[in-house]
Amino acid sequence: MTCGRLREWVVPAATAWLALCLLASGAVSETSSVPVRIIVVATREEAVHILEQLGKGADFAAIARDKSTDSTAADGGYMGKVDPASLRQELRETLQNLAPGQVSQVVAVPTGYAILKVVVETQPGAALTADPTQYLPLAGRGSIRYSANVGGAPEADLALQAFPKSPGWEQDLPAICSARQQSLAGTIERLHGWLDPASASAAPADPGMLMFVLGQLEGYQGHMDEMLQPWEYMYRATAADQPDGVLQAEEALGVVYLHKAEMENGVYTKPGDRCNFPPEPGVVAFQKTASSESAIAYFKKYLQKRSDDLEVRWLLNVAYATLGKYPQGVPTEYLIPPTVFASKDKVGRFTDVATAAGVDLVSMAGGVIVDDFDNDGLLDIVTSSYDMCGHMHFFHNNGDGTFSDRSAQAGLLDELGGLNIIQADYNNDGCTDILVTRGGWQLQMRMSLLKNNCDGTFTDVTREAGLSEAVSSQSAVWADIDNDGWLDLFVANERGPLHLFRNRGDGTFEDISKAAGVDAKGFAKAVVAADYDNDGFSDFYVSNLNGDNLLFHNNHDRTFAEVGKKVGVEQPWTSFATWFFDYDNDGLPDLFVTSYYMSTDEVMRSYLGLPYGAETLKLYKNLGNGSFRDVTREVGLDRVFMPMGANFGDIDNDGYLDIYMGMGNPSYASMTPHVLLRNQAGKKFVDVTTASGTGDLHKGHAIAFADIDRDGDEDILTVVGGAVPGDAHAFRLYENPGNGNHWINLHLVGVKSNRSAIGARIRVVVADEDKTQRSIYRTVGSGGSFGASPLEQHIGLGKAARIVSVEIWWPTSNTHQTFTDVTMDQFLEIKEFAKDYAKQQRRPFHLGGANRGAAVAQNRH
């Protein structure tokens, strides 16, 4: 038996196409497929220059390796054998007009500008039956070392794409679930059949590739032993004659054993502090050690041949930590010292009390909203899941430190899937509704608009509301674009134009994307809103995974002008999470946007102070004249992470907004700590992760900040879990240890403006002991693009002696309210036009209630 090129174990796209397409949907016609190379670059000018070079005889593959931003660059741009009918329209039309050996003109694609060539030479490749944007937007640049592909997410998604689906399947949530289940089960069954020595049917591909795919799909489900069996067989069979492939296999097998060790020791279901890095003294090591030891053995074999590989060095350190042997047991030459992760400020330690509080949820990546959905003054928790068969959860706040799972009573058991959720009172009836976005990283699927019935239940009104169009989205934002008092909806899209839906005020929406000038195409990962120029109208910022980010300026007539490059906020080229916030309390909304490279190597380089090739986070300071200035470096944010989920809040009530980011990518090899960055008075952000105890190593997604226990400080809630079922993880509720600073909590209620008060601006003026006055600014919204904090605004006041005034500006009425007799440390409700505010009685409680003591003790183990 031959086992193919094991170097392909770390390449996420090309090698699995043939097997998966054949397995999931039957044979692909080779007569209609053509071998293709591709070059993708950032600008049309660069593409035209390359086209000129090719016309003069330059080698296509060499330029692809040197210049292309596509994931096929390392293979000279080779995509495999492509069926033109399976491609995007612009690529299909281009290929149909090319003869073998010919090069296309420049073609605009979501990830940049492409040049294609139908090649003459024969090369092992794949028949494509799915949209190549599945992997094009995940492109790397230059010499970035990407994480090893271990876990089966690309393979499972490709099987789903190729699986035959009935018309309208994307509107039917159970049908989507069924397609996922059937495509996975059917593919695995065929693989076993083809690999059975007694089988009479001929295998459609090299047995080694089939074994690789089988291992991936078993690992996808968390079946680690079944993943190891074919992979270790391949490793032994090729150890003698394929040294490069063996090297990659040793990392992959080490990753599988490390993940197996964590599963065997219950880390994903009862994590406690065992997921934090660096580990705290007293944290109990794994009791079942064999798999950790196997992981260490494989990582060491790899490092003996390539000692400078930072991803494998890092994973070796993590493996030693599971045995309680970090840092003292790690070989000196491979040690990544704990000083690298030392906190720059002292902050109190946050404690995870999710299980004690009854939020006993284990899930894949997903969304979270923290808000009061039944108007009882208590903050509830709603979550969604990337799992197409996983239902939404509603955790009702009991007011005694515990929560009850009321998912069934709320009518959410039929709401399956959804990588993100956001809240707003879209119909102004006084009850907070929910939007669920689906299809992000996957195929186009419908959203769900869940109308709050004001009785503890929700009704799916998507179709009636006119929002049933299928999109590939994991981000949307509510904003009143025309100040008519009704919240409109902007939806990001990864596989087509952006969507802007105008709220008609009668429970329905109309798509005005084209007329509004916002129907741009790209791989949009996030959209957020703010009135960045303080002209009274909401603007939008869109981050793209590969391509310029977009800033849409509101023209006050339901149209927008794109000004991102003009005002200097188009970077990073590879972006993800984003938001507007006033980080320096000057009254102007600044803009934060993360880069996103699936590279543990780049993250470790950033930690170690080594040169890195990826883009950093970006912070753009609003200059107040309609433009921004990049202040990333001067505030200490010129660092590389892998943030999937991110949001902001004030962890110490000093009045300055801090940042928390959850890290990761779909691979089991991706394990880097979540990061908490403290804002030092609007001057600098410093890493306080280790001090706070919030550095979970596992996949982080949606994040919310909320004073969920009503004790006057913001706790942190986050969905932890990856893109595959085998990476599901327990929810985290980090209780704030408290501080001595003052605060005020404001719940605004619109009357002429939208009922949720989204877009309303707050200014709190305080006087310190020396009578110096300072201002703290907030804008009503749910925070960042991946996770939704409450619409009520918790505002830290620092060491203020008193509040001088609370000022509110309302968007629709363009009116101001000023209150001067406000005391600190209380909850207030303020209605638009009201002459006075209403004090709200909120009784603080201990999260976890009677279960807290045992749970906190268990947290150490």
Side-chain angles (χ1 to χ4, degrees):
M1 175 180 291
T2 60
C3 291
R5 298 179 299 166
L6 287 184
R7 72 174 185 85
E8 302 286 12
W9 285 33
V10 298
V11 179
T15 59
W17 280 106
L18 175 60
L20 285 168
C21 292
L22 289 169
L23 291 166
S25 62
V28 175
S29 171
E30 287 295 318
T31 59
S32 64
S33 299
V34 292
V36 175
R37 292 186 186 271
I38 189 170
I39 296 171
V40 181
V41 292
T43 67
R44 181 177 291 276
E45 291 76 15
E46 186 179 6
V48 170
H49 178 67
I50 289 173
L51 196 60
E52 291 172 353
Q53 291 179 287
L54 294 171
K56 295 176 181 178
D59 183 72
F60 193 104
I63 292 181
R65 292 187 186 96
D66 185 44
K67 300 292 186 181
S68 181
T69 63
D70 187 55
S71 57
T72 59
D75 288 328
Y78 190 67
M79 295 175 65
K81 289 183 178 180
V82 178
D83 180 0
S86 69
L87 297 175
R88 297 175 58 87
Q89 181 178 356
E90 62 269 29
L91 297 177
R92 179 171 66 249
E93 293 173 353
T94 298
L95 274 185
Q96 287 172 342
N97 295 319
L98 290 182
Q102 285 188 330
V103 174
S104 76
Q105 295 298 310
V106 177
V107 185
V109 295
T111 53
Y113 295 88
I115 302 169
L116 294 94
K117 179 181 180 180
V118 176
V119 297
V120 178
E121 68 267 30
T122 58
Q123 178 174 342
L128 223 59
T129 61
D131 192 334
T133 55
Q134 172 70 16
Y135 61 88
L136 284 173
L138 307 183
R141 297 199 292 172
S143 59
I144 293 173
R145 198 283 211 202
Y146 279 77
S147 296
N149 170 35
V150 182
E155 289 74 20
D157 286 344
L158 294 174
L160 174 64
Q161 290 177 43
F163 182 76
K165 308 172 191 70
S166 59
W169 78 284
E170 72 281 355
Q171 298 290 337
D172 185 342
L173 301 184
I176 294 171
C177 166
S178 178
R180 168 64 88 189
Q181 293 175 327
Q182 291 184 53
S183 64
L184 184 64
T187 301
I188 292 174
E189 181 180 358
R190 291 187 182 94
L191 280 165
H192 279 294
W194 275 322
L195 290 169
D196 184 351
S199 174
S201 59
D206 181 277
M209 188 173 76
L210 299 180
M211 293 177 75
F212 163 75
V213 175
L214 176 61
Q216 287 282 62
L217 295 180
E218 293 288 4
Y220 173 86
Q221 302 171 91
H223 302 160
M224 309 316 291
D225 287 330
E226 290 81 354
M227 187 178 195
L228 284 165
Q229 184 176 0
W231 282 19
E232 288 200 303
Y233 176 86
M234 293 164 63
Y235 174 67
R236 292 190 299 270
T238 60
D241 60 352
Q242 293 191 34
D244 288 342
V246 166
L247 188 68
Q248 306 296 346
E250 285 166 351
E251 177 184 5
L253 288 166
V255 169
V256 176
Y257 271 111
L258 180 56
H259 193 81
K260 181 173 184 276
E262 293 186 306
M263 295 185 74
E264 289 172 339
N265 286 275
V267 163
Y268 291 95
T269 54
K270 298 185 182 301
D273 286 340
R274 294 181 296 168
C275 295
N276 289 354
F277 198 95
E280 286 289 309
V283 172
V284 176
F286 285 5
Q287 300 301 301
K288 299 177 181 179
T289 63
S291 292
S292 290
E293 291 164 355
S294 294
I296 288 171
Y298 275 116
F299 291 146
K300 281 184 174 180
K301 287 181 181 180
Y302 181 105
L303 290 168
Q304 286 169 3
K305 297 184 272 292
R306 189 172 293 172
S307 61
D308 61 345
D309 189 301
L310 282 176
E311 175 166 283
V312 179
R313 275 184 60 192
W314 162 247
L315 291 170
L316 179 70
N317 281 254
V318 173
Y320 272 107
T322 67
L323 299 178
K325 296 180 179 180
Y326 175 88
Q328 72 281 1
V330 182
T332 304
E333 65 271 28
Y334 304 140
L335 177 64
I336 297 177
T339 53
V340 168
F341 306 96
S343 292
K344 307 301 188 293
D345 270 358
K346 291 183 179 180
V347 296
R349 188 171 183 83
F350 286 66
T351 302
D352 178 18
V353 295
T355 300
V359 190
D360 199 7
L361 173 69
V362 176
S363 75
M364 292 165 62
V368 65
I369 302 171
V370 181
D371 219 318
D372 181 2
F373 285 98
D374 50 10
N375 293 333
D376 63 356
L378 299 170
L379 297 175
D380 310 302
I381 302 169
V382 178
T383 68
S384 64
S385 175
Y386 192 58
D387 182 355
M388 294 176 181
C389 300
H391 66 78
M392 293 176 64
H393 283 80
F394 183 95
F395 293 97
H396 176 263
N397 192 329
N398 299 321
D400 61 358
T402 67
F403 293 78
S404 297
D405 188 339
R406 294 188 181 176
S407 308
Q409 298 93 316
L412 297 180
L413 296 186
D414 294 329
E415 290 297 328
L416 308 178
L419 193 50
N420 203 11
I421 48 179
I422 57 169
Q423 82 277 29
D425 183 0
Y426 80 92
N427 57 357
N428 288 339
D429 66 352
C431 300
T432 302
D433 313 297
I434 298 172
L435 182 85
V436 185
T437 57
R438 296 187 179 88
W441 300 113
Q442 299 173 325
L443 301 175
Q444 292 184 329
M445 304 173 194
R446 77 167 175 92
M447 302 180 291
S448 286
L449 179 62
L450 306 180
K451 179 182 176 294
N452 189 331
N453 299 317
C454 303
D455 61 1
T457 68
F458 295 84
T459 299
D460 191 327
V461 296
T462 313
R463 187 175 298 278
E464 301 92 313
L467 295 176
S468 59
E469 181 172 350
V471 294
S472 291
S473 178
Q474 68 172 107
S475 183
V477 67
W478 297 98
D480 184 355
I481 64 167
D482 48 8
N483 288 336
D484 64 353
W486 299 95
L487 288 169
D488 310 298
L489 180 64
F490 198 121
V491 180
N493 194 0
E494 299 173 3
R495 292 171 172 265
L498 301 166
H499 288 283
L500 177 58
F501 296 97
R502 178 179 171 267
N503 191 333
R504 293 189 177 103
D506 61 359
T508 68
F509 295 78
E510 61 173 327
D511 191 337
I512 62 169
S513 313
K514 188 175 183 62
V518 299
D519 58 335
K521 295 180 181 179
F523 203 90
K525 291 307 300 177
V527 58
V528 288
D531 179 7
Y532 78 90
D533 54 356
N534 284 348
D535 65 355
F537 287 80
S538 293
D539 312 295
F540 296 106
Y541 185 74
V542 178
S543 71
N544 285 301
L545 189 63
N546 276 77
D548 288 341
N549 298 330
L550 308 173
L551 178 61
F552 290 104
H553 177 261
N554 193 324
N555 296 326
H556 307 177
D557 59 1
R558 296 178 186 163
T559 70
F560 294 79
E562 202 289 300
V563 297
K565 188 170 291 187
K566 177 181 177 181
V567 305
V569 295
E570 76 276 14
Q571 295 180 336
W573 170 262
T574 302
S575 298
F576 204 155
T578 187
W579 59 67
F580 287 97
F581 70 155
D582 187 355
Y583 82 94
D584 54 359
N585 277 328
D586 64 355
L588 299 168
D590 309 297
L591 180 60
F592 174 79
V593 57
T594 73
S595 60
Y596 187 68
Y597 290 80
M598 297 186 183
S599 173
T600 302
D601 178 85
E602 291 291 307
V603 174
M604 287 299 114
R605 287 179 177 276
S606 184
Y607 270 112
L608 293 167
L610 299 174
Y612 46 78
E615 298 163 292
T616 69
L617 309 170
K618 285 289 184 182
L619 180 62
Y620 296 107
K621 177 178 170 57
N622 193 327
L623 301 180
N625 58 3
S627 65
F628 294 80
R629 179 169 65 89
D630 185 344
V631 296
T632 307
R633 183 176 297 276
E634 64 189 73
V635 300
L637 290 178
D638 53 333
R639 299 181 63 184
V640 177
F641 298 110
M642 274 190 289
M644 296 189 297
N647 216 328
F648 60 87
D650 186 355
I651 62 169
D652 50 7
N653 281 342
D654 66 351
Y656 290 93
L657 293 167
D658 312 300
I659 296 170
Y660 186 56
M661 297 181 290
M663 308 300 171
N665 69 57
S667 173
Y668 289 149
S670 172
M671 299 173 65
T672 60
H674 302 185
V675 173
L676 182 60
L677 302 173
R678 180 175 179 266
N679 185 340
Q680 291 183 326
K683 306 297 183 184
K684 203 171 188 67
F685 288 84
V686 296
D687 192 334
V688 294
T689 308
T690 301
S692 63
T694 56
D696 195 309
L697 282 172
H698 298 117
K699 312 300 190 304
H701 203 256
I703 291 169
F705 285 77
D707 181 9
I708 202 159
D709 51 5
R710 296 314 200 189
D711 65 351
D713 49 46
E714 288 193 295
D715 312 294
I716 302 175
L717 301 91
T718 178
V719 174
V720 182
V724 305
D727 221 359
H729 194 283
F731 186 88
R732 294 287 205 180
L733 198 174
Y734 290 112
E735 184 178 21
N736 194 315
N739 52 77
N741 289 332
H742 295 291
W743 53 275
I744 192 78
N745 186 296
L746 303 180
H747 174 219
L748 304 189
V749 180
V751 177
K752 187 175 183 181
S753 300
N754 69 87
R755 185 71 176 259
S756 296
I758 290 174
R761 296 199 291 263
I762 301 168
R763 180 190 183 200
V764 180
V765 182
V766 297
D768 294 329
E769 291 291 349
D770 61 2
K771 299 185 179 180
T772 301
Q773 292 190 6
R774 54 189 171 86
S775 296
I776 303 164
Y777 296 89
R778 296 289 185 271
T779 300
V780 176
S782 59
S785 53
F786 299 108
S789 300
L791 295 175
E792 67 177 36
Q793 296 299 296
H794 177 94
I795 304 172
L797 307 178
K799 300 298 183 184
R802 66 185 181 90
I803 293 176
V804 176
S805 63
V806 173
E807 304 167 11
I808 314 293
W809 173 82
W810 295 91
T812 298
S813 61
N814 193 23
T815 57
H816 290 79
Q817 292 167 298
T818 301
F819 303 96
T820 57
D821 59 343
V822 180
T823 57
M824 298 183 291
D825 305 332
Q826 61 176 331
F827 296 84
L828 306 179
E829 180 178 278
I830 300 176
K831 289 187 177 181
E832 189 176 10
F833 305 124
K835 301 299 182 183
D836 204 352
Y837 55 80
K839 294 183 180 181
Q840 297 180 306
Q841 298 301 317
R842 300 287 182 262
R843 182 177 60 83
F845 47 82
H846 292 292
L847 286 168
N851 301 321
R852 178 182 173 84
V856 172
Q858 177 67 26
N859 200 44
R860 307 299 296 168
H861 303 285

